[in-house]
Every structure is written in structure tokens, then in C-alpha cells.
């Protein structure tokens, strides 16, 4: 067959991993990234203070593993396990909340570190060419002509492709172009909260806090979090309503705010540094995107944030983007095998077969990505408020106990999302069934307890209490 060429727009986490997958499957790959090569020393700080730290878990590792188990192993050399949340109260008391009763954990990893690893991996394939400082201009998906601009020389360039992959982020230009070709349902929603990053240096050559936790200072409508880095520092992020950011401007206001809400964190970070970083670091916005379909015939597909940007509160943005690539690859390989070919070289797919594979991917994946976008938004409330709520902690304890006894039947929501590859939509369905079952069980146990206590009371004290039926009704109305 003639050479099959894929043009990937966006050289971040998802784009670089996609380049590796397509190269492995026999495609000629051209990857275009509008920023300089961050592997070069003079550009190494381009992603610092502009993005929230990453947490990689099973879905991300699964995609790396499918590509190459050795790549997964190399990535694991650069992560720090986080076994749970460390909750910081106002008085400085710290409480650990394990993520999983079987000690499963998520992992902190630096964004720039992971991008560099993936770019190096992509560079190792002879059929991959990396083009930096190129900005996507437009594409004619029907002909495969992609036009780009060299941002350093301000010169136009063009390339022909059999397939265009948009991995160019939440404000994707490839998605905008795709919207002119398909009847896309699209929504973009900003939440009324922003974020600002800070740093916490090591103390006496060691981590200033326990490095094997994700640290959270929950304060109801806002929170501070901290993730560990390999250099023994922490990256801290303040999430807060824009209306609250507007109230904190001067150094005195910053210091007063941190003293009031995060006194222990302020002592570890230092007042001078907090004030300097609050003034210097950008205040980022938080938004989410949903769209469907995410493909056009056999000619185009968008992946990662380009198709489903989400708020960062479940730590699934990158993991979901990596899973996109794995899901697409599985469908393309399956389609190839159904055509009678025994190999995994998806570059051998005909246009009709590729069209079929992309359509299947778009339909099946949209349901799952919509589910995780919603879950990520809901988890913000959990992190900034519910982690100190008695009802939440009671359910977490009960579910953990039941999960230990029946690990295949009762699975906590966080475990399903972070430590399995159960499709996100199925996760939500199972969680809803578990919630209904738990409520019914608690109600039945409560009624039985009331009836039992009532019967004993009547026997001991005589009929001076309301009828048992009325007692039961009173209890169940409160559950």
C-alpha cells in the first residue's frame, strides 16, 4: 500500500503519545507544535506556573503500557505515589484519608517531565518528524491539505495528510474547523472559579510535608492543594471564586488572607514568596468543553482537551486523553482484524474502514467523556467541602468496608475512576445503583433498629411511646 500520513496538531501530552501510537501502527507522522521544543534548556520553563500539576493513574498507565511496557516503566521512575488526601484543618491538625482500602494510589508527575519523555519516545521512531514553532491555520479535510504558519519566520507552509488529528487543547483550532464540516453539538462553560500556583521549597533538604499524600486545605467555597515534586518541593494551587480573588490584591491582603485560612501552609511557603508569586503568577480560568461528534469521515479526529476539556478536580484530564488514544487504537486494530488482516498495522486500513472505525470511536467515546467531565466538576465540591463532612466520611467508611468484603460487587466511585479502566459511563451507572442500594439498606436497618428499640421500650416502659408504625415512619422520613 502507498504511504499513509497523519498530521497531528499539538505536541503536548496527548499529541506526543498519539504520534507514538500511529508510528507503531505503520503511519508516517508529522507532529506540529506552536511552542518551541521544551526539551531545549532555553525553553524548559515554558510550562511552569501555567498549568496545574498532574496525577497519573491506571487509565494513563494503561495507555502507556499498551504502547510499550518499557515506556510505562520509565514514566514510573519519575512519579511520586500519593496514597491518599491529607486534610489540613484551620488549627493545623492533619488527617489522612486513604484513596483505597487495598492501598492503591495515584501518582504525582511533573507536566514538563512527562512531555519531554513522550517527545523523546516519539523522536525514537524513524517515521516521526517533530515540527516546533508551527501554528495551525486551516485544513481542507476532504483533500487532506493542512496549512500552517512558521511563527518564527512568519512564513506559510502546507502538508498533505490522509488523517488529521487535533490534539491542540481546549481552544482547539482543529475543532473549530471540524465544526464547519459536521453538525457538532458543542458547549463551553466557564465556572466562577480561577486558580493561582505557588511553590513550597524543601526544608533542610527534605520535603516540607508528607510527600505521599495530596494535601488539601478545604475551606468551603475555596481550597488550597499541594502535590509533591521529585526535587522535594511542592506545587501548591489555590482554587477560589473570582469574586474572592478580587478582594485580595496588595501584599498585606495576601498575607492576611493566608494567615486566616492557611496559616500552616503560609509558614511553610514563607510570606515573602507567597506575596511575590501571587503577584507574578497568572490567575488561570477553569472551564469545560463537551462536543460530539469528534470525527469527520476518514479524515479527521480530535482527542484530549480538544474534544472534552474538563476541570482538574478528578485528576483525569490527562488520563482521559491518554485513554482516548488507547480506545481509538483498539477500535482501529479491531476494524483491521475484521477485514481479515492478522497484523496490527492500521496504516493498511482503507478509507472506508478508517471511516467506520472513526465513527465507532466518536459514538462510543462521547458517552464516556461526557460522564467524566461531569464527575470532575462534582468532585470540586467534594474536595473543598465534603471531605470534612460527617455524612461523606461515614459513607466513605461504609463503602470501604463493603469493598473489602465484596471487592467485585461494591466499588467506591473514586476507585472505579482512578484504579480501573471501567468505562466512565458504566462507572456512573454502577455508582448510582450502589447509591440506591446503600440508601435502601440503611433505611431498612434504621427501621429495624427503631422497631427493635420500640418493642423493648414498650415491654419495659409500657405503651407510653408513639405506635411503632409511626416511629418507623418518622425515621424513614428523615433518611
Amino acid at each position: 500500500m502507498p504511504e499513509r500520513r497523519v498530521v497531528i496538531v499539538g505536541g503536548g501530552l496527548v499529541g506526543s503519545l498519539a504520534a507514538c501510537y500511529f508510528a507503531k501502527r505503520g503511519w508516517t507522522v508529522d507532529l506540529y507544535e506552536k511552542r518551541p521544543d521544551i526539551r531545549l534548556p532555553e525553553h524548559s520553563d515554558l510550562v511552569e506556573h501555567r498549568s496545574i500539576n498532574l496525577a497519573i493513574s491506571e487509565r494513563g498507565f494503561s495507555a502507556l503500557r499498551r504502547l510499550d511496557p518499557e515506556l510505562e516503566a520509565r514514566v514510573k521512575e519519575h512519579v511520586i505515589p500519593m496514597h491518599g488526601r491529607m486534610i489540613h484543618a484551620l488549627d493545623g491538625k492533619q488527617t489522612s484519608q486513604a484513596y483505597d482500602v487495598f492501598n492503591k494510589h495515584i501518582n504525582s508527575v511533573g507536566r514538563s517531565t512527562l512531555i519531554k519523555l513522550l517527545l523523546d519516545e516519539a523522536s525514537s521512531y524513524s517515521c516521526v518528524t517533530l515540527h516546533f514553532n508551527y501554528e495551525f491555520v486551516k485544513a481542507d479535510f476532504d483533500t487532506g491539505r493542512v496549512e500552517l504558519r512558521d511563527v518564527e519566520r512568519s512564513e506559510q507552509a502546507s502538508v498533505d495528510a490522509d488523517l488529521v488529528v487535533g490534539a491542540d487543547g481546549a481552544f482547539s483550532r482543529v475543532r473549530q474547523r471540524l465544526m464547519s464540516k459536521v453538525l457538532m453539538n458543542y458547549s463551553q462553560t466557564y465556572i466562577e472559579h480561577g486558580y493561582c500556583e505557588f511553590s513550597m521549597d524543601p526544608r533542610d533538604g527534605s520535603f516540607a510535608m508528607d510527600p505521599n499524600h495530596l494535601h488539601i486545605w478545604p475551606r468551603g467555597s475555596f481550597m488550597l492543594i499541594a502535590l509533591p515534586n521529585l526535587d522535594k518541593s511542592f506545587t501548591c494551587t489555590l482554587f477560589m471564586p473570582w469574586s474572592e480573588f478580587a478582594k485580595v490584591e496588595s501584599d498585606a491582603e495576601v498575607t492576611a488572607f493566608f494567615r486566616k485560612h492557611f496559616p500552616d501552609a503560609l509558614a511553610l511557603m514563607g510570606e515573602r514568596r507567597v506575596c511575590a508569586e501571587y503577584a507574578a503568577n497568572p490567575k488561570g480560568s477553569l472551564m469545560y468543553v463537551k462536543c460530539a461528534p469528534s470525527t469527520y469521515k476518514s479524515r479527521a479526529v480530535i482527542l484530549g482537551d480538544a474534544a472534552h476539556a474538563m476541570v482538574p478536580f478528578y485528576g483525569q484530564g490527562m488520563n482521559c486523553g491518554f485513554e482516548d488514544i488507547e480506545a481509538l487504537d483498539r477500535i482501529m486494530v479491531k476494524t483491521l482484524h475484521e477485514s481479515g488482516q492478522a497484523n496490527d498495522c492500521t496504516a493498511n486500513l482503507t478509507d472506508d474502514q478508517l471511516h467506520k472505525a472513526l465513527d465507532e470511536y466518536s459514538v462510543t467515546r462521547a458517552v464516556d467523556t461526557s460522564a467524566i467531565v461531569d464527575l470532575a466538576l462534582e468532585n470540586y465540591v467534594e474536595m473543598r467541602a465534603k471531605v470534612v463532612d460527617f455524612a461523606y466520611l461515614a459513607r466513605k467508611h461504609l463503602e470501604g468496608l463493603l469493598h473489602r468484603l465484596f471487592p467485585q460487587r461494591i466499588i467506591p466511585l473514586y476507585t472505579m475512576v482512578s484504579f480501573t479502566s471501567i468505562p466512565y459511563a458504566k462507572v456512573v451507572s454502577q455508582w448510582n445503583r450502589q447509591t440506591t442500594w446503600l440508601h435502601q439498606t440503611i433505611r431498612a436497618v434504621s427501621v429495624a433498629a427503631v422497631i427493635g428499640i420500640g418493642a423493648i421500650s414498650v415491654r419495659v416502659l409500657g405503651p407510653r411511646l408513639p405506635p411503632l408504625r409511626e416511629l418507623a415512619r418518622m425515621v424513614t422520613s428523615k433518611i
Side-chain angles (χ1 to χ4, degrees), residues 325-346:
I325 302 165
E326 181 179 2
L328 177 60
D329 181 68
R330 288 186 182 278
I331 291 172
M332 291 173 67
V333 170
K334 182 193 73 170
T335 302
L336 184 68
H337 291 172
E338 289 173 349
S339 73
Q341 298 194 47
N343 62 70
D344 294 342
C345 183
T346 60

Side-chain angles (χ1 to χ4, degrees), residues 111-313:
R111 184 180 296 268
S112 60
T113 297
L114 189 50
I115 292 176
K116 291 173 185 178
L117 283 169
L118 293 175
L119 288 174
D120 285 343
E121 182 70 15
S123 298
S124 71
Y125 291 90
S126 60
C127 56
V128 174
T129 305
L130 305 180
H131 308 265
F132 295 98
N133 299 301
Y134 276 89
E135 185 177 50
F136 175 82
V137 177
K138 63 180 180 179
D140 184 333
F141 296 127
D142 291 304
T143 66
R145 175 58 58 91
V146 180
E147 296 187 18
L148 306 113
R149 186 175 71 89
D150 184 327
V151 297
E152 285 191 321
R153 302 183 181 88
S154 297
E155 296 176 352
Q156 296 290 114
S158 63
V159 62
D160 293 322
D162 298 287
L163 175 64
V164 178
V165 175
D168 50 337
F171 301 99
S172 170
R173 290 189 176 185
V174 177
R175 182 185 65 229
Q176 293 174 9
R177 198 69 182 174
L178 190 61
M179 291 172 72
S180 69
K181 301 296 293 184
V182 300
L183 299 176
M184 181 184 289
N185 292 314
Y186 168 79
S187 65
Q188 172 184 297
T189 307
Y190 284 91
I191 68 172
E192 295 297 321
H193 294 243
Y195 70 91
C196 182
E197 285 200 348
F198 301 86
S199 57
M200 182 185 293
D201 283 344
R203 295 177 72 87
D204 300 322
S206 299
F207 286 100
M209 303 182 295
D210 182 345
N212 297 122
H213 282 80
L214 188 158
H215 293 258
I216 306 178
W217 291 257
R219 298 298 183 259
S221 63
F222 56 91
M223 68 177 181
L224 180 71
I225 69 170
L227 279 77
N229 300 308
L230 287 175
D231 65 0
K232 298 186 179 180
S233 68
F234 280 86
T235 298
C236 308
T237 310
L238 172 64
F239 296 96
M240 191 164 66
W242 288 114
S243 58
E244 295 298 320
F245 273 114
K247 298 175 184 177
V248 183
E249 295 183 345
S250 68
D251 286 356
E253 290 169 338
V254 172
T255 302
F257 175 81
F258 271 79
R259 280 178 180 168
K260 179 179 180 180
H261 299 292
F262 314 115
D264 57 334
L266 180 63
L268 294 173
M269 289 189 285
E271 291 184 8
R272 183 175 300 178
R273 163 163 284 183
V274 167
C275 291
E277 292 186 335
Y278 186 88
N281 293 346
K283 311 299 185 293
S285 58
L286 298 165
M287 50 90 84
Y288 58 93
V289 167
K290 293 184 179 183
C291 69
S294 57
T295 61
Y296 174 65
K297 296 183 178 178
S298 64
R299 312 297 290 187
V301 58
I302 52 176
L303 303 171
D305 284 354
H308 48 71
M310 65 191 74
V311 292
F313 305 114

Side-chain angles (χ1 to χ4, degrees), residues 340-410:
Q341 298 194 47
N343 62 70
D344 294 342
C345 183
T346 60
N348 292 334
L349 288 167
T350 66
D351 283 348
D352 287 343
Q353 291 165 351
L354 184 56
H355 187 175
K356 175 186 174 184
L358 293 185
D359 279 353
E360 180 180 345
Y361 168 80
S362 182
V363 170
T364 57
R365 193 63 181 154
V367 179
D368 290 320
T369 56
S370 178
I372 188 56
V373 168
D374 292 339
L375 285 172
L377 188 61
E378 293 166 8
N379 207 49
Y380 185 27
V381 179
E382 177 175 316
M383 292 178 70
R384 60 183 166 86
K386 287 187 177 180
V387 290
V388 294
D389 179 73
F390 176 79
Y392 165 83
L393 294 173
R395 172 166 181 165
K396 179 179 173 65
H397 178 76
L398 176 60
E399 268 192 332
L401 176 63
L402 293 173
H403 180 47
R404 186 180 290 277
L405 295 173
F406 311 104
Q408 302 303 317
R409 297 185 62 84
I410 304 296

